[in-house]
């Protein structure tokens, strides 16, 4: 089976042709760099995205503190992850990269702050 | 009147890169004026990833990308940063007037870098017929409301224009629990990056109507619906193709234009000793190129001061 997808790893957005056999990727073409092949495999077998959002704070200089997952999470769990994020508030100063939730969506993926806030 | 060697107006990625590079190239008296209470410019509200791949070889969000430059800049004592400092006038002699809390300042610069960014086009809004109810926002304003203020300005959204900001806001609204009923694009292809079409609308099965335009906004106090019509290759409406989409919010995402009021006030470029960079020079898609090019501008300003 031939699948056509767009690589989203960089702004070039190469059009990829992905040849699949039994749900496995056997050949990728159209990529201008090796990252396209890795992307095609994960996209075809288990699509994942970085989740970015903001968390409200209490008593800090910024009203909302931006956060992201430190690795891409399965596309299918984005909605569930957002629900979790909406339940959170931050009430202590954070530095960029600080872990807000350890092992956020299991599989060792953390939720981290993306801006300093005092 | 005090004279400073180099004044930079705007503390976004362009202004910061210019300041750092000017210092590296020998300028020892630098004043950076920023009207906001933070450095970073538009990046602070761009909490999505997609920054820094070229410059840092990493996937970063806007605030993370800005943070790296803020850190670098703060480590240089020769760069004085004045926040909450809004420049209101500029002359050809490079006299600058700015307002900061409790004071109106006038200074002269030997060299000046303009890095005031861009603003969103709103002109095209006026071509849309209908009422002017509440619930019409530019995409960038909606981004600021959600990501900085923590307010969700609508529950059922239609987006006019498929530029990057509009696409990114489609996903943002959806993740926040709103419904995004449509993206309407008058051209036959997106104006944004393909990757944003994939990860912001296709991922969430948001319908994109190419070759369509909003012909009317409906609603009395609040937006209630939009009328949408198909257009032909000459952008003329196709008769009888109209349909209605209900929504309480319309986002306008039809492009950006350089912010150059101060330069216009001074009679327009070229002006001896004034340099422009970043989005105030031309609208960039990728911030990495802003940083790279603006460093060149900082170097050029340093050269100018050496020869002055
Ligand atoms: C919504 C949006 C999404 C984007 N997404 C991406 C992306 O995913 N990836 C990517 O690489 N790029 C992206 N970009 C592009 C990138 O962010 C911009 O090209 C870059 O931020 C431009 O930097 P700048 O310094 O020229 O302008 P800005 O960041 O706008 O900074 C200008 C600064 O000047 C200040 N200023 C203006 N006028 C005055 C005045 N009179 N006095 C004092 N200060 C003043 C402003 O307050 C502001 O801080 C995006 C841009 C936008 C708008
Ligand atoms: S294949 Fe490489 S060059 Fe092409 S979009 Fe993907 S990352 Fe970018």
């Amino acid at each position: 089976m031939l699948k056509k997808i767009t690589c989203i790893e960089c702004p070039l957005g190469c059009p990829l042709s992905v040849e699949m056999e039994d749900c496995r990727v056997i050949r990728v073409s159209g990529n201008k760099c090796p990252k396209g092949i890795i992307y095609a495999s994960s996209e075809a077998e288990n699509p994942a995205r970085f989740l970015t959002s903001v968390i409200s704070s209490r008593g800090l200089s910024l009203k909302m503190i931006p956060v992201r997952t430190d690795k891409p999470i399965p596309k299918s769990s984005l909605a569930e992850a957002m629900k979790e994020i909406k339940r959170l508030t931050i009430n202590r100063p954070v530095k960029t990269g600080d872990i807000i939730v350890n092992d956020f969506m299991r599989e060792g993926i953390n939720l981290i702050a993306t801006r300093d806030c005092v | 009147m005090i004279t400073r060697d180099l004044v930079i107006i705007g503390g976004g990625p362009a202004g910061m890169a210019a300041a750092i590079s000017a210092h590296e190239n020998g300028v020892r008296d630098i004043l950076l004026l920023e009207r906001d209470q933070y450095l970073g410019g538009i990046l602070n509200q761009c909490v999505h990833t997609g920054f820094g791949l070229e410059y840092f070889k990493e996937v970063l969000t806007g605030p993370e990308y800005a943070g790296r430059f803020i850190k670098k800049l703060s480590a240089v004592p020769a760069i004085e940063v004045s926040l909450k400092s809004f420049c209101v006038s500029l002359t050809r002699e490079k006299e600058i007037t700015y307002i900061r809390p409790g004071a109106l300042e006038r200074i002269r610069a030997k060299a000046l870098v303009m890095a005031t960014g861009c603003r969103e086009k709103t002109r095209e809004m006026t071509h849309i017929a209908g009422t002017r109810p509440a619930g019409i926002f530019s995409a960038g304003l909606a981004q600021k409301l959600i990501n900085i203020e923590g307010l969700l300005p609508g529950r059922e959204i239609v987006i006019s224009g498929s530029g990057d900001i509009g696409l990114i806001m489609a996903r943002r609204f959806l993740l926040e629990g709103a419904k995004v009923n449509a993206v309407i694009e008058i051209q036959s292809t997106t104006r944004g990056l393909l990757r944003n079409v994939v990860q912001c609308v296709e991922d969430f099965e948001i319908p994109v109507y190419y070759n369509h335009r909003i012909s009317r906004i409906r609603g009395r106090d609040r937006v209630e619906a939009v009328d949408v019509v198909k257009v032909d290759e000459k952008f003329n409406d196709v008769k009888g193709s109209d349909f209605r989409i209900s929504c309480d919010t319309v986002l306008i995402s039809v492009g950006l234009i350089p912010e150059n009021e101060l330069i216009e006030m001074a009679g327009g470029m070229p002006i001896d000793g004034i340099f422009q960079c970043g989005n105030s020079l031309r609208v960039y898609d990728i911030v990495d190129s802003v940083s790279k090019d603006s460093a060149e501008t900082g170097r050029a300003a340093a050269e100018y001061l050496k020869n002055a």
Side-chain angles (χ1 to χ4, degrees):
Chain A
M1 194 184 65
L2 198 68
K3 248 183 145 173
K4 300 255 178 222
I5 60 174
T6 306
C7 179
I8 62 170
E9 290 294 310
C10 90
L12 283 182
C14 297
L16 307 180
S17 298
V18 190
E19 229 173 288
M20 311 267 302
E21 216 176 78
D22 301 329
C23 298
R24 305 285 305 171
V25 173
I26 53 170
R27 220 175 56 150
V28 179
S29 56
N31 55 305
K32 291 205 181 70
C33 85
K35 272 193 283 189
I37 299 177
I38 302 169
Y39 174 76
S41 310
S42 87
E43 188 64 10
E45 288 160 16
N46 181 21
R49 302 281 185 263
F50 279 102
L51 177 65
T52 61
S53 189
V54 293
I55 294 180
S56 55
S57 78
R58 204 169 290 145
L60 301 176
S61 59
L62 298 172
K63 266 192 212 159
M64 308 304 292
I65 299 173
V67 294
R68 69 172 169 93
T69 54
D70 61 358
K71 290 185 202 72
I73 65 172
K75 217 164 88 174
S76 53
S77 56
L78 286 176
E80 188 198 334
M82 274 306 291
K83 270 197 201 135
E84 200 51 45
I85 284 178
K86 282 183 168 298
R87 271 200 281 272
L88 301 169
T89 47
I90 296 176
N91 50 23
R92 57 172 172 87
V94 292
K95 285 228 166 298
T96 305
D98 280 2
I99 294 177
I100 304 296
V101 183
N102 217 332
D103 210 16
F104 174 57
M105 293 301 288
R106 299 164 297 273
E107 299 169 42
I109 296 171
N110 303 313
L111 191 68
I112 60 171
T114 55
R115 190 174 175 187
D116 295 354
C117 179
V118 291
Chain B
M1 198 184 304
I2 293 176
T3 299
R4 307 290 299 250
D5 286 352
L6 177 61
V7 176
I8 296 172
I9 304 179
M16 291 196 287
I20 292 166
S21 153
H23 178 261
E24 283 168 358
N25 285 283
V27 186
R28 287 296 170 263
D29 172 32
I30 303 173
L31 173 65
L32 177 69
L33 300 172
E34 168 54 54
R35 67 179 169 199
D36 197 33
Q37 55 177 324
Y38 299 102
L39 290 172
I42 200 81
L43 292 178
N44 288 328
Q45 69 183 64
C46 298
V47 303
H48 57 280
T49 55
F51 302 83
L53 208 54
E54 209 168 291
Y55 202 92
F56 293 110
K57 311 281 176 234
E58 272 179 76
V59 178
L60 299 173
T61 61
E64 288 170 293
Y65 187 95
R68 301 219 173 166
F69 282 88
I70 294 171
K71 214 174 198 172
K72 203 163 170 196
L73 192 120
S74 313
V76 184
I79 305 177
E80 180 193 343
V81 176
S82 182
L83 297 172
K84 299 183 194 166
S85 300
F86 184 25
C87 300
V88 290
S89 84
L90 174 69
T91 69
R92 288 192 96 72
E93 288 67 49
K94 297 187 285 287
E95 286 168 16
I96 303 148
T97 310
Y98 66 95
I99 306 167
R100 63 177 177 82
L104 181 72
E105 305 276 7
R106 291 197 70 191
I107 54 168
R108 181 177 283 129
K110 288 185 192 158
L112 179 73
V113 171
M114 294 293 300
T116 47
C118 62
R119 63 184 135 101
E120 294 182 281
K121 275 190 212 167
T122 48
R123 200 190 49 210
E124 272 146 90
M125 281 172 70
T126 57
H127 295 326
I128 303 175
T131 49
R132 283 285 170 271
I136 307 172
F137 299 91
S138 71
L141 175 59
Q143 185 178 48
K144 187 172 179 184
L145 290 174
I146 297 179
N147 293 342
I148 306 284
E149 303 297 335
L151 303 167
L152 190 63
R155 297 247 135 237
E156 267 197 77
I157 321 295
V158 167
I159 299 174
S160 168
S162 67
D164 285 316
I165 316 176
L167 296 173
I168 280 165
M169 288 318 293
R171 175 179 61 184
R172 197 70 193 90
F173 268 99
L174 202 124
L175 286 174
E176 285 294 328
K179 264 184 76 190
V180 182
N181 290 344
V183 175
I184 316 284
E185 170 60 58
I186 195 165
Q187 312 275 349
S188 53
T189 53
T190 176
R191 306 187 199 196
L193 298 171
L194 270 181
R195 63 191 308 222
N196 286 334
V197 175
V198 172
Q199 60 184 350
C200 297
V201 296
E202 286 178 5
D203 268 6
F204 303 101
E205 289 161 12
I206 296 170
V208 183
Y209 295 89
Y210 293 108
N211 304 309
H212 280 75
R213 71 176 192 95
I214 293 179
S215 56
R216 179 173 287 272
I217 294 177
R218 296 190 175 267
R220 244 188 46 179
D221 301 325
R222 178 79 195 196
V223 173
E224 286 163 15
V226 292
D227 289 350
V228 177
V229 63
K230 193 171 167 47
V231 298
D232 61 22
E233 316 80 65
K234 296 201 179 86
F235 301 117
N236 293 318
D237 294 357
V238 175
K239 264 219 171 75
S241 66
D242 329 42
F243 56 100
R244 193 166 294 178
I245 302 177
S246 76
C247 59
D248 62 17
T249 301
V250 178
L251 292 198
I252 311 281
S253 168
V254 286
L256 304 164
I257 38 171
E259 172 69 72
N260 272 319
E261 256 177 53
L262 290 167
I263 294 287
E264 281 155 28
M265 212 180 273
M269 290 294 272
I271 306 172
D272 182 51
I274 296 191
F275 303 81
Q276 290 172 287
C277 61
N279 276 357
S280 69
L281 178 62
R282 64 179 175 88
V283 174
Y284 284 81
D285 284 333
I286 306 291
V287 69
D288 305 62
S289 328
V290 171
S291 300
K292 223 174 89 219
D293 292 358
S294 303
E296 272 310 297
T297 309
R299 195 190 52 76
E303 284 305 310
Y304 173 87
L305 284 167
K306 272 178 211 158
N307 302 324

